[in-house]
Amino acid sequence: MPQKNLFICYPKCTTCQKAQKWLDDNGIAYELRNIKEQNPTIDELTRWAKKSKIPVRKLFNTSGLLYKSLSLKDKLANMPEEEQLSLLATDGMLVKRPLLITDTTILVGFKEADWQQLK
């Protein structure tokens, strides 16, 4: 039985709002999860990074205030992947969003051309 698509977002984020509108307009069902209220766990992040084949550092929200205040731009290059995953799991605002997890795909950020494959 296929799992329901999981849409992880921050409702106040305009990019997340655009992605959610796109899902709704295209009739794609999903379960909504607020990243600020329910942060991804280290296990989830590890699974998603492996499944998507995206480097862990690409899961960071590089435009976020928390990312900048922690000076992560300079620190990530020398930080082991396990430490990056642990850090991501501490606060949902560090994680790039929106995230869409389907049976076959993991989409990070909203690029409409990438999301077209869901139709």
Side-chain angles (χ1 to χ4, degrees), residues 2 4 13 28 62 104 110 114:
K4 191 178 229 182
C13 165
I28 297 171
T62 56
T104 56
F110 180 63
D114 294 344

Side-chain angles (χ1 to χ4, degrees), residues 54-62 76 84 96 108:
I54 294 172
V56 173
R57 69 180 188 290
K58 296 283 188 188
L59 294 175
F60 279 88
N61 175 12
T62 56
L76 282 182
Q84 291 179 36
K96 186 174 176 92
V108 181

Side-chain angles (χ1 to χ4, degrees), residues 41-76:
T41 66
I42 195 163
D43 289 343
E44 287 175 322
L45 291 161
T46 302
R47 270 198 323 272
W48 299 339
K50 281 185 181 139
K51 186 174 179 181
S52 68
K53 297 180 177 64
I54 294 172
V56 173
R57 69 180 188 290
K58 296 283 188 188
L59 294 175
F60 279 88
N61 175 12
T62 56
S63 58
L65 296 174
L66 187 54
Y67 178 91
K68 291 174 181 170
S69 71
L70 294 173
S71 304
L72 291 176
K73 182 180 179 187
D74 304 321
K75 295 176 184 172
L76 282 182

Side-chain angles (χ1 to χ4, degrees), residues 5 13 17 21 23 29 35 37 44 46 49 53 56-57 67-68 75 77-78 84 87 89 93 100 112 115 118:
N5 299 325
C13 165
Q17 291 166 4
K21 182 180 182 333
L23 289 170
I35 199 164
E37 293 173 0
E44 287 175 322
T46 302
K53 297 180 177 64
V56 173
R57 69 180 188 290
Y67 178 91
K68 291 174 181 170
K75 295 176 184 172
N78 299 315
Q84 291 179 36
L87 184 59
M93 300 314 277
L100 185 69
E112 191 171 335
W115 289 48
L118 298 171

